[in-house]
Amino acid sequence: MASDKTAESALPRLQQPLFGPVLRTLLKPVIWPITRLFDRIAAGQLRLRLGGRSYLLDSDREGPQAEIDIRRPLRMARRLATKGHLGLGESWMAGDWDSPNPTAVLHLLAVNEHRWRERQRGGPLHRLLSPRRHQRRSNTRTGSRRNIAYHYDLGNDFYQLWLDPSMTYSSAVYRADADDVSSTDASAALKAAHTEPGSAPTLRQPTAQPHSGAARNAVTDSCLDPTSTADDRSSRGATPVSTIEPTAGPTTGPDGGIAVPRQTAALSRRTAPSQTTALSDDDDDQTLAQAQRHKYQRLLTMLDAKPGQHLLEIGCGWGAMAEAAAEQGLQLTGITLSEEQLAWAKSRFSGSPLAAQIELRLQDYRDVTETFDHIVSIEMFEAVGEEYWPTYMETLRERLRPGGTAALQVITIADDIFDDYKASPDFIQHYIFPGGMLPTVGRFDAAAQAAGLEITERSFYGKDYARTLRAWHRRFLERETEVRALGYDERFIRMWRYYLSYCEAGFLDDRIDVMQIALRHRGSV
């Protein structure tokens, strides 16, 4: 909120609505989509620059503080009117609007979404064509290779500029001394996780359970100790197998068809204040590389794998998980559809003593025929497409030996926005990950259970993903000159920045989350 001691207090304080009745009447046919975005805000504060003047839009409720410069209002309004939320991203890419912190703008819009939710899907033509375009990017074997190449084959030199040295392109898990939530919080999380797809949606409010600064950032070399065992699970926010018991009552699958048993599990959800941090802020005691390594150690702990056992990694990326597994004496077969990633990963282990433990292939997960002691897959499920969720789960079941565990890291989307998300593919599906589809927790669980798999452990780390994205965005900006030197133009750079900000805002607002989850054959001991 502005006060007499802030710079914002010198700005004209607008009496909402933003435009007076005469001007509103004249401009309504032209820039009405913009007035719907910024005319009234119920929470937070916006510093807006339009037509050479700056204004302050304030509210009575705490919320994100953002700044936006609308440079080409007519073009921005046209894109918003025709393409809704996708048009907002395209207008950023085109330079119609700018902000020193686009994440804050997107977070502010999300908090005030009720003001323009009915217009998010755009005009009739866009609503008709957008889903069809997404469907044409189906993840058949040929389509999957094309979709993966579209994103991951941009070039290893590009990703090397802004990822951490391990070349890890998935959420880090930052070490915290208190990962667990109370039993009340766990019960509420469980109830939300099992909201049935057909039930009435409930607005998800941002959680606000701050960690102490010292506890949140404390890190020592011991927290990355590769010798940690399954006995450490309780201190890492995981739910041991013994706490999971079947309960009565069915749950309806996403298609309203076969009912599957519901399981009760205390869920660990990492929470933090819902706020947007400036990109320049970096007060982390942990480095991104440490947090990425901690992520791999957590997944290996979930597997409880023994030296000499054989792991399958579906979506091996640039080989960081393979390296972590081999360092613990495991054999690993990694598969990818990205030729660029495969070439990098193979060169990573060339001449290394770990090379004998690692086999890397250019292969579709549907074409693997061997069985393995354990399976690991990090942020791969989101890329297979809703049509192939059953196939993916069946592959896990068939490739996993009895008694083995599949440990996955998966991005999920809130139940109350899934239907709109599916009906109107978003910026990420159009420009970043063609063919992708985020599952809700309930839909993921239904697909796993329908394939004969049961959940033995689960934890959530949405705020850690926001922190990871913020680190990537900062590193990307620091290396922007070198990105341009690789041949990427202004439109691409703005597209990539919007992608990072869009995702960070989603995690901050709890619209999306990321979970680590362990699966086993149903009934296995």
Side-chain angles (χ1 to χ4, degrees), residues 73-117:
L74 298 184
R75 294 184 184 182
M76 180 178 178
R78 186 191 72 232
R79 290 186 170 99
L80 287 172
T82 57
K83 295 188 176 182
H85 59 78
L86 181 62
L88 180 67
E90 291 182 343
S91 65
W92 162 270
M93 288 168 58
D96 298 339
W97 64 276
D98 205 357
S99 174
N101 188 350
T103 302
V105 174
L106 295 171
H107 192 193
L108 180 75
L109 290 175
V111 169
N112 293 278
E113 181 195 28
H114 62 283
R115 292 289 302 162
W116 70 300
R117 186 166 191 171

Side-chain angles (χ1 to χ4, degrees), residues 172-194:
V173 175
Y174 289 85
R175 180 75 177 190
D177 289 342
D179 283 345
D180 292 324
V181 294
S182 68
S183 58
T184 300
D185 295 333
S187 177
L190 176 64
K191 182 178 180 180
H194 286 289

Side-chain angles (χ1 to χ4, degrees), residues 1-2 8 41 43-47 56-59 63-66 108:
M1 305 298 103
E8 285 81 1
I41 58 173
Q45 182 185 91
L46 178 67
R47 180 172 177 166
L56 181 68
L57 281 78
D58 211 342
S59 70
Q65 298 187 28
L108 180 75

Side-chain angles (χ1 to χ4, degrees), residues 347-390:
S347 66
R348 179 185 196 130
F349 300 110
S350 178
S352 167
L354 301 177
Q357 299 166 236
I358 297 170
E359 179 190 10
L360 302 175
R361 308 173 183 168
L362 190 70
Q363 187 175 32
D364 193 291
Y365 69 93
R366 289 162 287 198
D367 295 330
V368 178
T369 58
E370 308 98 312
T371 59
F372 299 84
D373 296 304
H374 303 284
I375 299 174
V376 65
S377 186
I378 302 174
E379 296 179 25
M380 168 69 186
F381 186 79
E382 308 87 329
V384 304
E386 184 179 17
E387 180 183 359
Y388 294 97
W389 289 349

